[in-house]
Structures are given as structure tokens and as C-alpha cells.
Amino acid sequence: KERMREQAEVAKERMREQAEVAKERMREQAEIANKTMEQVRRVDIVKMVRGDIGDLLAQLMPGMEVDAGLVFFNSSWAVIAVGWLFAYFKFIYKHDRSEDLTHWGIALGEQDTEGLLKVVHEGIVENDVKPDLVIVFHHPNFRDHADREAEVDVGQLKRILVVEADAFRVISDEGVVRTGPDPESEQLSTKEKGKVIHGHLMTEKGAWVRLEGEPGFMVAPGRGVSALELIGAHHFQNLDRFQTVIRDASDAQQHRGSFHHFLSAGNSMRQALGGSQDDSLESPSSRVPTLQEARVALLQDIYAALPRWGCDVTCFASVDYDEIFVCISLESDVAIESYLLKSSTMLQMKKDVVSKLGIDQPPEEATSSPPYLRYDPRVVRNLYKSGLLEKDCPRQLFKTHHGRDAKGNIVCGSERFRMIFKQLGTQMDLDVAKKLGLIIDWYPAHSTAWLARLHKPWGDLKLLLDLSFVQPIPMIREYLGPRVAFIFAWNGFYCKALLALTFVALPIEAAVNVLTMCGLPGPTIHKRTVLAFSVVITIWARLTVNAWNREQEYFVNLWELELGDGSQSTRPSFQGFMRASKADSNITEKAYPTGMATLRRVASTSITLVFCCVVCTCIVIWTNIFEGDLNLTASICLSVMVAVFGLVFNAFVPILTEWENHKVQSTFYDSYVFKKFIFEAVNRYSAFFYLAVKQRYTAMACPSGGCMAALHKQLWMTLLILSCIRIFEIILAGVMVRVKLWLEDRTMKKEAEEVEHQEAPKRSFAELQSKFAESRMQEQIESTMQLVLALGFVLLFSAIAPIIVPFSLVVFVVQLRGSAYLLVNLSKRPLPRHQYGIGIWGGIVAFLVELSIFFSGFLIVTYGDEFRGKQLITKLTGLILYIVAMNCIMRGVDLVYPPTMEETQVLKARRDRVRKVVLERAAHVVHAPKARDQSTDDHKEALIAPSNVIARGDWDAIRHLDDLCASRCGKPLRGAELPEADLAVQEDPPKRRQEQKRGRSAVV
């Protein structure tokens, strides 16, 4: 017990000591916590964060010191410049969305056709034809054509014909191929109807091949049935003479190099026409048809086939009788309606129809533009029956175009051309025919009414003084197509944007020059302005991209374009193998293996890169020749070298792109632009990148004044020379057309004076256009590429040399007004191609913006005074921080000036409302009631309760569903043969049901 007592006391003492220790520790911890809280209350959070950031920067950017005064100067100047840019786009900028011409003081419908024609050319025929498409052929009686007696190459001629997808649907009425037309003749091979003859059908006795709806033709012994021959039989009524030329040429070439004897293709074609066989052609002739015979055959075939397609054809000889002009137009309402229904064309409604619907939309606003409806005669008919239209005529509902006749047409001239060109494209490739010399030229015809309408607001050189750069873009799209309209809209938009940036660039360039004249070092001033102007350029680039996306989205919705619309049809020059279509296996279409197509594109891109390597090598040689002393002579040599390389590659890029064998026009266009941009970017920018990046590390090092000063000097001199070259090219294009016309007029006047002093004949306007400059895809890409490259100079190098901004503005303005003047006065009408916005050009501009951010950051960390002599980690961190900061600034611009606008949504909402009301009116048409069978009505009234039983609450009058079904099937109603007592129950359905319930309860 005593021991236990002692142990208890020891334990108590130990616990007491532990408690005292714990209290002491808690007291100390409380004091530490109080001191910590006091320190926290006294600590400056901002100072602490700043210290942490300073420690981080000291680790990542050792030795970096920031000049507060320089930062304040750059920030202040950048804020002022950005404020001006936002104010310009908010209050001064004028859009091109208006559909009227009040900006130019032109009343609706006002035009001056006679004055325009005097400006274009004085000696034209007054009563002129108005074609949609013109094809120029060699005159057969003109003997001075040097190649008229040349032998044709059948392989080349076959390229002109286009394989139609449904050419092989049916090979005979019986589904078989026999040795002759007699049904009892030997059967060679059995084919199911709708299947395809692949490759060649080789026979020893010959074969009688017949397509659906065709008389058939005999295939000679030993010959195969090729795809081309089957198409010739299927489309025999369209290009029969030209097919004969191809067959004769093929037979002659086979006879020269083969020991086989077979019947002439001329016999095959005669039998296909239903004629008798000519025994004189049993042995094929070795004579190859001449190029003149092929031209005549093609001319006769086209002239005979076009009227069957619903086209109107006019033919006349040129003033010097060396050419024949085939003028094609589409005027038949029946043919136009057929094409509209087949292609599901969208047409715009009239504005007065919208007002008749009772929809309140301000007519003066651009967002009240009427919607597009798919052409359907039933809609027109129903709207006429509903009383909305005065006549059952599409002209009452859809917008009419008066470029051809006074009553107007529901399709514009560009749409009529697409219809004709699409039909011709199913038969032949006009570009290949022109290249091979079968035709001289072909082009969409201008409309004098439209040219007169566009002359004053768009095609007049006086507009060079109009700094608003407003254009009638909706009219341009209606006449020249969406692609040309978007290109000119983009060109005019950047004229406005560069004008705003010029007011920022000129003051800083002037200030630098003034300070340099005052004795301050110019290179140092240029270095210190790079940061501020780089920030301004980044904000301006993002602002312009968002503003253009607004305009582009509005126009896409205004014209209701769809991605890929009009650009997914098969190109006539596409080469492939006939295979079953993935959409419908009953038909065949041309296809090309994906792997082979990819290899071709990789090879063409590799060739483009080889060209780029050659350019880079020449740039290095150019730098070594002048040993870093880049004076005016060096700039001239560089400009000439750039121009020469551009001309050389321009000759190769169409060949490379065509060799890639693109199936649709959109991929062909994108590939052409892609290769062209890669080469031109290297050709134009590589010299300046070399000066900025590599020159200082070479043995020659930087010239006196530093690499930045040399780069500044070389930039403005080279860009000035290139701008002058581009302006000269635009002026030369117009001068060459006028000189060409003057020389031809002079020659005709001399010939007329020699022949009894007669007056020189006058040209028609359709013939005059054949002398105009080309404005096809290659020319459009070339002009747009020059603009994109000039914009690239602004984005990449204007921080070094702000003076290049006004130079680029001059290029844009001259390109805008010069191209418009040429299109209205001296250029052929371009093909009205569909395009969704500016397409691939938007991606190129976005790439240039991102590249400009990286390059500006590189210049800052390489040549900036703050980074001079600093470690690589410091420069790398500075570059990353600059890129991150610029991307954050661009996101801020997106919040302040988003790429979408409310007007586009209003336009879509208003059009959806109008379209909905129109379709509802078309669907809700009251028809006259039909005669009714009185006995049937009485029977129904006996079964079905009157319409007012619900209103008066007569629930017993509502019959059971079984009774209704029995009466409809002709069966007697339930209870018809029951006793009178039961009939009483039957007459009272509620009472009957109650009795049945009571009966079931009793059973239970």
C-alpha cells in the first residue's frame, strides 16, 4: 500500500509538471501568434508581392533594369495612338453596306450609257448584241493562220472533252453487248442495266454498242470501247463532228504504228447517225485531220448544240474577217426556269412584297433587306391565289434585273453566265481548247447598262481624291460575283484602316527626323520607339481583323452564302478514273486515289521550297556582294531581283497547281494561293529578316550606325521602289490595251483608205472586249497577293520604319482605284465565282499578325537598350512575357470591339420573320369546297355528335368508339337486335354501363 501511495504521488507530481510545461508552451505560442499577427498587420502586401516578383525576375531576367521614364513615354504615346484608332473606327469609319448610291449623289436608276461608251471607245456599233458569254473562233476562210494545216494530237484533243458522270448508265436496251444490231447476233458479254463498261471491251468480231436513247454504233474488230467513245455516243447530238475528228486522228495514228486493219471511225459515226456504211472507208486512212478541221468541227457542234440547251446564239465576223464571234445568251423563260429548278437557286424577294405582308420593318435601313427564297413556281402560284401577288408571275415576287430588257429578269447576268458555263462545262473544257489553239478566246460579256451604273461611283479615276473609300459592294457582287466583291471590299477596308494608322506613323517618323536633325543619335531614337509602335501595331491589327470580320459576316448573311457554295463542282480539267459514286452506286464519277493526290501535293510543295532556297541563297550572295553597305544601288538590285524571281515563279505555279489534279475549284484556288504566298513571302521578306537576325553575327557585322538603322533605310527605299513598280504595272495594263486598240484602228483605217477611200468599219462592244486585258483567277490572285505582302510589311517592319505605312497606303489606294477603272473600262469581265468571304486570305493575315508579334518581341530583346549585354535567359524571358502581354491585349480588344455586331443578327432575324410569313401565306390557300355525299353526311351525323354538344354539355350524345368503328365497317350497332327493354338500356349508355358494373359486382 505504501509503495502504491508513493507511486501515485510521483505520478501526480509528474502530471503537474507536464501541465505546467504545456501551459508555458501555449503561452509562448500565443505570444508568437500575437507577434505574427502584429507583423502581418504591419506588412505592405503590395510591397511584398512586388518583392516576390522582383526575386522571380532576378532569377529569370538577371541584370534587367527598367527605365521608368522610357516606359512612361512609350505608354503615354501608345495610349494616345490607340485612343485615336478607336475613335476613328467608332465615329469616322464609313461602311460599304448601303445598297443605294446616295453617297455619290446618284439617284436610283440614273446612268449614262452613251457617255461611258465614249469614254471606253468611240468607234463602236450602236445597235449591239447583248450576250452572256462570247467564244472567239478562228475564221475558216482566213488563210493567214499559221497553224491551220498542222496535224492534231489526239491525246491533246481528248483533254478537251469532259467525262460526264452519267455517261455509262445504260450500255444497251437489253443490257447486253452483241456483235451486231440483230437481236439474234452473238452475245459478247452480259451487263446489267445501269452498270459500267470498265476499260476496253476487246473483241475479234466487233461489237454493237448502244446507249439508251441513241441509235448505237459499230465497234470495229480488234478495237476496244474506250470511255471517250462511249461518251461520244452518249452525247452524240452535242459534239458529233468533233468526235469524228478525234476518231479519225486516233485511227490514223494507230494505222501508222500498227499492223492491225480495222474499220474507220467514220463508218462508226455514220452508223451512229443511222446512215449506211461507206465501203470506201473499210481501210483506214493514214491522214491525220488538221487543226483547221478540228476547229470547224468544234464550231459547228457548239453552234448546233447550244439552241437545244435553250440558249440563244448569234454569230458574226470580226471587222478584219479573221475571227468569228459566237455570242451566247440565255433569254428563254422556260430554259431559265428549268435551270433554276435543277440547281435549287435562291432568289431575292422584292421590297414591296415585304410591305404587303404587313411586317413593320424600316425600309431605309440596310438590315431590312428582303430575304432569299428557293425558286418554286408553286409558292408563286399560292401567293397569287392568296391575293398577295397581282399575277401568277415570278417577277411579281422576286427582284428583277433590267440590264438586258425593260421588263426585267429574275436572274442577273452573272447567274445566267453560270448556267451557260455549267452546261458547257459538262461537255468540254474551254481553257484547254484555248490552250491547244482550237479557239482564240472566251470570256463573260460585259453589260453596258451595268458599266454605266458602276462608272461614276466606282470606276472613275476622280475617286482617287475620295478618302472615305466607300464602294457599292452589293452592286459589285451582283455584277462581278462574290469573290471579286469580297476582294474589293477587303481592299477598300484596309485603305480606311491604313489611313487611320498613317496619322499615327507620320508624326512619330517626323519627330524622329527632327530629333535626328537636332543632333540626337538617330539609331537610339529608332530603338526607343520600337516598343511603343509595336504595341500600337498589335492593337491596330487586332482591331482591323475584328472590324473586317464584322463586315465579312454581314455580307455573308446579306447574300446568304454557304461555305463551299458554288465551289464544289468538279473542275473540267480534273483527271481520274471512272468509279461508282459514293452517293449513288448506279452512276459513276471521276475519282483519283487519295495517296497519289497527296504525293503530288507534297512534290509540288517541295519544288516550291526549292525555289525558296534558291531565293535565300541569292539574298546571301547579294549581301556579300555589297559587303553590308546597303545603299541605293543595293536597294535597286534587290528590287529587280525580287521582281525577276516573282515573274519566274509566276510561270511555274499554275503548272504545279494544275499538276496536283484538284477535283474542285476551291482546293485548286487555296493550293495556288498557298504556294504563291510561301514563295513571295520568302522573296519579299527574307532580305530584311537576314539583316535583322543574321547580319550582326557575320564577318561583315552591322554597318556604321547599326543594323537597325541599316534596316530602316533599306526598308523604306526598297518598299518605295516596289510600290512604284506596282503602280507602273497597273498603269501599263491600261496603256497596253489602248495602244493595242489604236494600232489596230490605225491599220484598218489605212486599209479602208486604200480601198476606194471607204470608212473604217466599227467594232461591236462584244468584239471590243476581246482586246481588253484579262481578269481571271491568276490576275486576281496576283493583285491580292501584292496587297497582302504590302500589309505584311506594315505588320512586320513598320515598328522599325513607320514611313512604310503611307507607302503601303498608296499601294492599296492605287490598286483599289486602278483595278476598278480597268474592270469598268479596259478589262474583260471576270468569272462570277462564288466564295465564302475572303477565304484563305484571312488565314494568311492572321498568320502575319502572329508572326509580327514574335518578330517585334525579337527586335525589342535584341536591339533594345534595356536588354543590351544581358544574359540569354533574360532575353528569352522578355520575349515570352512580351508575347503573353500582346495576346492578353488582343483579348482585351476583343472585349471592347468584338468581331460580331448587332446589325448582322437584326438582318437575320428580320429575314427569318419575312421568310416565315411568306411560306405561311403560301401554304395557307383557301380552296373551293368539294361536293359532298348527303347520305354519307347523314350517316356521320347519326354517329358523331354535332359540333355544339360540347358547348351545351350534352354528354350523352357522344357515342362510344366501338359504335363508330362498327358503323364505318358496315356492321350493325350494338343493341340493334336486342329486346325493347335492352334497347332502352342501349339508348342510355351511362345507364347501361352502370348495369354492367352491378352485374360484375354480383358475380364477384
Side-chain angles (χ1 to χ4, degrees), residues 538-820:
T538 301
I539 297 176
W540 174 84
R542 192 66 174 189
L543 191 62
T544 54
V545 168
N546 289 353
W548 167 249
N549 287 337
R550 287 183 168 196
E551 296 292 321
Q552 179 177 259
E553 182 188 18
Y554 180 85
F555 286 129
V556 166
N557 286 275
L558 178 67
W559 303 328
E560 296 192 5
L561 300 175
E562 297 180 0
L563 189 61
D565 184 21
S567 60
Q568 300 303 316
S569 57
T570 303
R571 300 177 64 246
S573 60
F574 173 67
Q575 301 295 324
F577 307 100
M578 299 304 299
R579 295 179 179 177
S581 173
K582 294 182 179 180
D584 185 359
S585 58
N586 288 327
I587 63 175
T588 59
E589 62 181 5
K590 283 193 293 187
Y592 195 72
T594 305
M596 293 296 297
T598 303
L599 289 177
R600 284 181 176 233
R601 293 168 191 177
V602 170
S604 64
T605 305
S606 302
I607 296 174
T608 304
L609 295 179
V610 170
F611 274 94
C612 295
C613 294
V614 173
V615 171
C616 293
T617 304
C618 293
I619 292 297
V620 175
I621 296 174
W622 166 77
T623 307
N624 293 331
I625 289 176
F626 290 94
E627 297 180 353
D629 185 14
L630 305 180
N631 49 21
L632 180 60
T633 305
S635 299
I636 295 175
C637 292
L638 176 62
S639 302
V640 172
M641 187 169 59
V642 168
V644 171
F645 282 145
L647 291 176
V648 172
F649 189 74
N650 283 343
F652 280 92
V653 64
I655 301 174
L656 292 175
T657 311
E658 191 68 43
W659 182 72
E660 290 177 349
N661 194 27
H662 292 273
K663 185 175 183 179
V664 296
Q665 183 66 26
S666 59
T667 58
F668 178 86
Y669 183 87
D670 292 346
S671 179
Y672 192 109
V673 173
F674 175 72
K675 288 190 287 293
K676 178 75 173 172
F677 172 73
I678 289 179
F679 175 80
E680 289 293 349
V682 175
N683 190 30
R684 297 295 182 96
Y685 303 146
S686 58
F688 306 106
F689 281 126
Y690 182 84
L691 292 175
V693 179
K694 183 64 178 176
Q695 178 72 23
R696 61 185 303 181
Y697 301 107
T698 61
M700 295 175 292
C702 293
S704 59
C707 289
M708 187 73 73
L711 185 59
H712 176 273
K713 180 181 178 181
Q714 193 64 31
L715 273 169
W716 74 263
M717 286 194 302
T718 304
L719 190 60
L720 177 61
I721 296 173
L722 292 176
S723 301
C724 294
I725 292 175
R726 183 56 187 166
I727 295 172
F728 175 76
E729 290 175 352
I730 297 174
I731 297 175
L732 183 63
V735 172
M736 288 180 63
V737 174
R738 293 197 177 275
V739 170
K740 183 179 179 181
L741 291 173
W742 178 79
L743 291 175
E744 191 169 326
D745 291 342
R746 184 168 172 266
T747 303
M748 288 191 300
K749 287 181 180 180
K750 286 184 177 181
E751 294 177 354
E753 291 176 356
E754 292 176 357
V755 182
E756 298 180 357
H757 301 284
Q758 296 180 357
E759 294 184 359
K762 294 183 178 181
R763 295 186 186 89
S764 66
F765 189 58
E767 180 181 353
L768 179 66
Q769 297 173 56
S770 65
K771 316 299 179 183
F772 286 176
E774 293 288 348
S775 183
R776 299 288 296 276
M777 184 195 74
Q778 187 171 354
E779 288 77 19
Q780 295 171 14
I781 292 177
E782 179 64 27
S783 61
T784 310
M785 184 64 66
Q786 299 300 323
L787 298 178
V788 172
L789 294 172
L791 180 62
F793 273 106
V794 172
L795 294 173
L796 296 171
F797 306 110
S798 61
I800 304 172
I803 192 62
I804 66 178
V805 174
F807 290 163
S808 299
L809 173 62
V810 172
V811 173
F812 269 80
V813 174
V814 173
Q815 179 71 44
L816 177 69
R817 298 308 183 189
S819 298

Side-chain angles (χ1 to χ4, degrees), residues 918-938:
V918 168
L919 295 180
E920 287 179 352
R921 288 286 295 271
H924 183 68
V925 179
V926 180
H927 300 278
K930 297 180 180 180
R932 303 175 64 180
D933 189 355
Q934 186 65 31
S935 61
T936 305
D937 293 342
D938 295 340

Side-chain angles (χ1 to χ4, degrees), residues 9 103 199 258 390 413 461 556 623 637 658 709 772 842 845 857 886 978:
E9 291 178 358
H103 176 79
S258 175
E390 297 178 359
L461 289 179
V556 166
T623 307
C637 292
E658 191 68 43
F772 286 176
V845 173
M886 291 301 102
L978 296 178

